[in-house]
Amino acid sequence: MDYHHAVVDMMLGGKLHLTPLDFNKVKKVLDVGTGTGAWAIDFADAHPDVEVIGTDITPIQPTFVPPNLRFEIDDANLDWTFRDNTFDYIHIRFLVGCIADWYKLFREAFRTLKPGGWLETHEPTLRWVGDRPIDPKSATGQFHQIFWEAGKKFGRTFRVFEEEIQKKAMEAAGFVNIMVTDIRCPIGSWPEDPEKKELGTVTQVAFLGDLDACGLFTAMYFGSLMVC
């Protein structure tokens, strides 16, 4: 998870968010599915006057954190315990395959945001693309298909990007001024550009670190094992 945080940091040019936040108004922030808490820690460090809350179903976050940050155990799939109009900014990242009802998720985000508040959500595609066609029968070509089928089996889609679920669910919840940004990320050290080469190298490390666990987990539901 920390490698993935580093990847996004590099993809965004060192920025923690793309939202044009006005820190004269932003006082309370929620990080949903915080994981190891890396983003929440960096954000709290950068903005010591902002109260930051990170939620996750697993208590894997460190205890030594900025004083303006706290972590809470919570399942984003359930009704949120926060009151209406609580937050100025909500950050959601990498929950693909974790959410049963994205429309409910964004309804809860809309409810708990203050009027004029912002929601930012980052989700990856699991489908690899290249300048040259990828053989659909190869391990690389089958990778996303296995996840897509597994998502159907346990009711938590991996096609968030492909079906534009974020945008559709945000619109249905009542969000306006929705901005969509697609960013391509290399995997591997093949790019000639030094910055992209570094990004691709870190992305490869992050991906390979996930491959065994994710592949086996997905195979449990799909009934087959991808061999690379």
Side-chain angles (χ1 to χ4, degrees), residues 11-12 26 30 37 42 47 59 61 83-84 96 107 109 114 138 145 154 164 169 181 201 203-204 216 220 222:
M11 289 174 65
L12 300 185
V26 174
L30 175 65
D42 284 355
H47 307 287
Q61 301 79 31
R83 295 180 179 178
D84 296 0
V96 62
R107 284 197 302 270
K114 296 176 183 177
S138 67
Q145 299 177 41
F154 59 80
E164 299 184 330
T181 302
T201 301
T203 303
Q204 183 178 35
L216 290 171
M220 291 170 59
F222 188 48

Side-chain angles (χ1 to χ4, degrees), residues 126-208:
L126 298 181
R127 183 177 185 179
W128 294 7
V129 296
D131 295 331
R132 291 178 294 178
I134 296 175
D135 183 355
K137 296 182 180 180
S138 67
T140 303
Q142 295 180 63
F143 180 79
H144 66 279
Q145 299 177 41
I146 291 175
F147 275 86
W148 288 356
E149 290 300 320
K152 292 180 183 178
K153 295 285 186 179
F154 59 80
R156 302 192 178 192
T157 183
F158 284 96
R159 289 177 52 84
V160 175
F161 174 83
E162 285 72 20
E163 297 180 7
E164 299 184 330
I165 291 176
Q166 294 154 282
K167 184 174 184 291
K168 293 175 182 176
M170 290 175 72
E171 290 174 339
F175 286 96
V176 295
N177 299 327
I178 298 172
M179 297 172 285
V180 178
T181 302
D182 294 333
I183 303 175
R184 297 186 67 177
C185 180
I187 301 179
S189 59
W190 55 267
E192 295 182 1
D193 178 81
E195 291 185 0
K196 292 183 178 179
K197 181 183 290 290
E198 182 181 10
L199 172 59
T201 301
V202 177
T203 303
Q204 183 178 35
V205 171
F207 172 75
L208 292 177

